[in-house]
Amino acid sequence: MAATSTKPSFAPWPSSTKFRHPYSSNLTLPLSTYSLREPKRRGPSLCISSSFSSKSAAPETPSSATSAASARTQFPMTEEAFISRYTPDEPRKGCDVLVEALEREGATTVFAYPGGASMEIHQALTRSNIIRNVLPRHEQGGVFAAEGYARATGRVGVCVATSGPGATNLISGLADALLDSVPLVAITGQVTRCVTKHNYLVLDVEDIPRIVKEAFFLAQSGRPGPVLIDIPKDIQQRSVVPDWNQKIKLPGYLSRLPKSSNAGQLDQIVRLISESKKPVLYVGGGCLNSSEELRKFVELTGIPVASTLMGLGSYPSSDDLSLQMLGMHGTVYANYAVDKADLLLAFGVRFDDRVTGKLEAFASRSKIVHIDIDSAEIGKNKQPDLSVCADLKSALTGMNRILEEEAAKLKLDFSPWRKELKEQKMKYPLSYKTFGDAIPPQYAIQVLDTFTNGNAIISTGVGQHQMWAAQFYKYKRPRQWLTSGGIGAMGFGLPAAIGAAIARPDAVVVDIDGDGSFIMNVQELATVRVENLPVKVMLLNNQHLGMVVQWEDRFYKANRGDSYLGNPSKPSDIFPNMLKFAEACDIPAARVTKKADLRAAIRKMLDTPGPYLLDIIVPHQEHVLPMIPSGGAFDDVITDDYGRSTC
């Protein structure tokens, strides 16, 4: 039956609006509605096990002060603009100093779960008229939600947990943010950790203003990443008159931030482009903040673009020059391009093993140019012929200027190469098999893409559904695609969608999830309901750990080793009943089992106001293809369904 509801409109992303501070009737600041602070690009890794607050910290150098002052201009609430609810000389608890420090950094949302060691912080949050706390139902849900908020906006996400298991529940999220370069500040009530870009143990209540200022700066500058602030309960309770004029003390870090691109190196890159016949762009998460410059570069050169999992959206997937994703489950034509190229332009990438496979066979015919803001990534896995450690936005801007000035002399023409790749696209398109009237999971994603016109923010868990969402949804811009890449954390999808829905209330947010990943943080449906968030969950339910099944089929003769998630005593039942979870949280839900009913079901999901869960039953026998086996090369690519089980 055809859906009769009115199709929702998907407005373009907003450009700017006015922000009015709640404590000032005459303070108006021009802000983007989805980017209060634009983070700087990725920078050198800072691996410090812990950093104790100390009165004897190294003095700030003049150059450091200049850099810090420059960086502070990106924050919306300046020291002059902020109006405190306390008088300047009024003592207050450390927990209140912490909350005001967050307010001064522009934080308006935190994801905090209380406990004995963090209760003072929660009491202070109740006294804030600026910061809204979104209560997750598990600390992992909180840190993933903070990540979703940061990934969808580019701003710093903030989460809070108590001590002990409350803090250790943050580890997966911190590691995920570290590997995927997500700006995050985590606050705990007495425990430290090493899966961070930097972390602090506060021993003096007077240091809180400086430490919070530094934490936000570190999280956003250079290569973004998570920063942990550990505040013991006695420090939270201690009274102090805060000094908000403390300078940040990061001379070593500031001195290691990359400088502007070297003009000579950029000229060399342009020369290599002019000499090549088969160049290809290999772009990653480091391009998300330089998407406009990347599009201009492609327009000027005509070079095809292959994206990593983390780079999806930095260049429009549906553009003629897009080769979509490369790597283990990338398109045949993207991997073909890298294999046959004579010049590989690696921008904002880390040559991850899921992209390269067999390192010595990856781009073996190419000269390699690697541009990245993190010097630790250059030459770590693959030695480039030319490397530039710089802010990619600055480097692209410089190259675009050279290309425009020398366009007549360069006369770049890669049309034979593009024709060759177009033939590969025609020969090896992304495709899938059908199972009678059963629903192909890829088809469900295609329908969603059609109905949302490629404009939704998509989050995922980890597994087959994640790869299909990467392959079959056509992302148009950065920060539409929220997924756990480096660490591959199952349970990421729903909390990340929560963070995105809060950060981008104007956007359609859909969690494309698998039953295995979804159930790991299913408790966050309660958060969705309580916050009344319009999060749509499109559950591709195959009753199995699908990627495990695929590997069992391919490499273990289909021997099932605990990959079935249903009830063995009732194999014909859908177990667990996801609709009951939704019902328990007062969230509308439906199940669809036949392909003929799918379009109407997805239409209803999108048209229903507020949250919605759509349980789509899909066959577990389907595989994610193409596939280059782990450690393999392009010649090992699997494109057919041979090896897929029938049981």
Side-chain angles (χ1 to χ4, degrees):
M1 181 177 177
T4 57
S5 302
T6 304
K7 182 176 180 179
S9 60
F10 297 92
W13 287 23
S15 55
S16 65
T17 186
K18 297 288 184 179
F19 176 85
R20 189 164 294 279
H21 196 288
Y23 293 119
S24 174
S25 59
N26 59 5
L27 173 63
T28 304
L29 302 175
L31 296 176
S32 162
T33 58
Y34 62 94
S35 184
L36 296 180
R37 292 178 301 279
E38 287 297 327
K40 293 190 177 182
R41 286 298 311 119
R42 302 163 50 194
S45 296
L46 181 63
C47 299
I48 299 176
S49 59
S50 79
S51 178
F52 295 86
S53 58
S54 171
K55 295 297 183 185
S56 58
E60 194 175 50
T61 64
S63 62
S64 299
T66 302
S67 300
S70 174
R72 290 290 294 163
T73 61
Q74 66 187 303
F75 301 134
M77 295 186 184
T78 63
E79 301 300 338
E80 294 76 18
F82 188 86
I83 299 176
S84 174
R85 59 183 173 276
Y86 296 95
T87 58
D89 58 351
E90 182 181 355
R92 79 269 339 232
K93 288 183 175 182
C95 56
D96 290 296
V97 176
L98 169 67
V99 169
E100 184 168 324
L102 293 174
E103 293 172 349
R104 287 170 179 265
E105 295 305 315
T108 57
T109 303
V110 300
F111 300 87
Y113 196 91
S118 64
M119 286 179 63
E120 292 285 349
I121 297 173
H122 283 261
Q123 288 299 306
L125 285 170
T126 67
R127 295 188 281 272
S128 173
N129 293 322
I130 294 176
I131 295 177
R132 166 194 182 189
N133 180 41
V134 176
L135 176 67
R137 267 51 185 180
H138 189 284
E139 291 88 356
Q140 187 182 83
V143 68
F144 284 163
E147 273 200 85
Y149 183 98
R151 289 173 189 256
T153 62
R155 306 200 299 268
V156 176
V158 182
C159 61
V160 182
T162 187
S163 62
T168 58
N169 283 338
L170 299 180
I171 290 179
S172 291
L174 292 171
D176 187 54
L178 183 65
L179 285 170
D180 290 353
S181 305
V182 177
L184 188 75
V185 169
I187 299 165
T188 59
Q190 206 168 350
V191 65
T192 58
R193 210 150 2 277
C194 297
V195 286
T196 55
K197 181 179 178 181
H198 192 65
N199 62 72
Y200 294 92
L201 173 60
V202 182
L203 298 179
D204 190 326
V205 68
E206 293 184 6
D207 290 332
I208 291 175
R210 173 183 58 81
I211 286 174
V212 172
K213 189 183 297 184
E214 289 179 2
F216 273 72
F217 176 77
L218 287 165
Q220 295 177 98
S221 61
R223 179 176 181 172
V227 178
L228 174 72
I229 304 175
D230 188 20
I231 309 179
K233 191 169 184 178
D234 63 320
I235 300 297
Q236 298 174 37
Q237 294 173 326
R238 199 167 297 167
S239 292
V240 68
V241 176
D243 176 9
W244 299 110
N245 296 316
Q246 297 178 58
K247 304 291 185 182
I248 65 173
K249 298 178 179 179
L250 300 168
Y253 175 78
L254 291 169
S255 69
R256 292 195 299 275
L257 287 175
K259 306 301 184 287
S260 300
S261 309
N262 181 291
Q265 290 177 314
L266 301 185
D267 278 323
Q268 280 184 275
I269 296 173
V270 172
R271 179 177 57 79
L272 287 173
I273 292 171
S274 69
E275 294 172 353
S276 70
K277 301 296 183 185
K278 297 183 176 184
V280 66
L281 275 156
Y282 156 36
V283 301
C287 291
L288 293 178
N289 287 341
S290 52
S291 176
E292 290 303 316
E293 291 78 10
L294 175 64
R295 295 184 195 200
K296 182 69 173 177
F297 181 83
V298 174
E299 178 186 322
L300 291 168
T301 62
I303 297 176
V305 184
S307 174
T308 68
L309 182 72
M310 298 307 302
L312 289 173
S314 58
Y315 190 80
S317 300
S318 57
D319 189 87
D320 287 343
L321 287 176
S322 172
L323 301 172
Q324 297 179 255
M325 188 171 69
L326 81 165
M328 177 179 282
H329 292 296
T331 62
V332 171
Y333 39 90
N335 288 318
Y336 173 94
V338 172
D339 187 63
K340 304 300 181 186
D342 61 8
L343 177 64
L344 183 69
L345 301 171
F347 292 174
V349 297
R350 58 190 181 93
F351 290 88
D352 177 71
D353 63 335
R354 292 298 175 101
V355 167
T356 64
K358 189 177 181 180
L359 262 175
E360 55 268 31
F362 181 77
S364 58
R365 299 172 174 85
S366 288
K367 291 181 179 178
I368 297 176
V369 173
H370 191 183
I371 303 179
D372 201 279
I373 201 165
D374 187 352
S375 60
E377 295 295 350
I378 295 176
K380 184 179 77 174
N381 295 326
K382 190 81 174 177
Q383 193 63 42
D385 295 277
L386 175 60
S387 64
V388 179
C389 183
D391 176 1
L392 186 57
K393 182 186 283 284
S394 148
L396 281 168
T397 300
M399 286 188 288
N400 289 344
R401 187 184 309 113
I402 295 169
L403 288 164
E404 287 177 321
E405 291 172 354
E406 301 186 8
K409 183 172 69 174
L410 292 170
K411 295 181 180 178
L412 301 177
D413 181 14
F414 303 116
S415 53
W417 173 229
R418 292 196 297 269
K419 181 181 178 183
E420 181 180 341
L421 295 179
K422 187 174 183 179
E423 290 171 356
Q424 290 295 310
K425 283 187 177 184
M426 299 293 289
K427 188 176 180 180
Y428 296 105
L430 286 173
S431 61
Y432 51 87
K433 300 295 175 61
T434 58
F435 298 80
D437 62 355
I439 301 170
Q442 304 95 323
Y443 174 67
I445 295 167
Q446 285 180 323
V447 172
L448 179 69
D449 178 58
T450 298
F451 283 168
T452 59
N453 195 29
N455 282 319
I457 291 177
I458 303 295
S459 69
T460 74
V462 169
Q464 286 183 315
H465 69 276
Q466 176 191 30
M467 295 297 104
W468 287 320
Q471 291 176 335
F472 287 92
Y473 197 92
K474 306 306 179 190
Y475 303 94
K476 294 183 174 181
R477 57 183 68 85
R479 307 201 178 281
Q480 279 186 268
W481 168 243
L482 319 178
T483 198
S484 174
I487 198 171
M490 293 177 69
F492 178 84
L494 181 58
I498 289 171
I502 290 167
R504 289 290 318 280
D506 59 303
V508 173
V509 179
V510 182
D511 170 27
I512 299 176
D513 226 326
D515 48 317
S517 280
F518 179 69
I519 203 168
M520 286 196 172
N521 273 317
V522 69
Q523 76 282 343
E524 298 307 328
L525 286 175
T527 307
V528 171
R529 179 70 284 166
V530 169
E531 298 293 335
N532 195 30
L533 299 173
V535 170
K536 314 298 184 182
V537 179
M538 195 172 89
L539 192 60
L540 302 180
N541 187 346
N542 65 7
Q543 295 283 280
H544 288 73
L545 293 171
M547 193 61 84
V548 176
V549 167
Q550 177 168 334
W551 280 57
E552 287 171 342
D553 288 347
R554 294 282 173 182
F555 310 117
Y556 298 94
K557 300 179 180 179
N559 181 47
R560 299 288 178 252
D562 303 309
S563 54
Y564 176 57
L565 298 178
N567 184 351
S569 65
K570 297 181 179 180
S572 62
D573 290 357
I574 302 299
F575 178 87
N577 188 341
M578 300 296 183
L579 304 185
K580 294 293 185 182
F581 287 132
E583 181 184 353
C585 294
D586 192 26
I587 290 175
R591 176 177 293 152
V592 59
T593 61
K594 295 183 179 180
K595 184 178 179 181
D597 301 327
L598 180 67
R599 293 179 67 87
I602 293 179
R603 179 78 276 156
K604 182 177 180 181
M605 175 187 76
L606 294 171
D607 288 347
T608 300
Y612 195 94
L613 186 150
L614 180 59
D615 189 19
I616 303 175
I617 308 304
V618 300
H620 72 273
Q621 295 92 343
E622 182 64 340
H623 285 188
V624 180
L625 296 173
M627 178 183 182
I628 298 176
S630 181
F634 174 66
D635 290 343
D636 303 313
V637 65
I638 300 168
T639 58
D640 57 41
D641 63 349
Y642 174 76
R644 186 173 65 180
S645 73
T646 57
C647 61

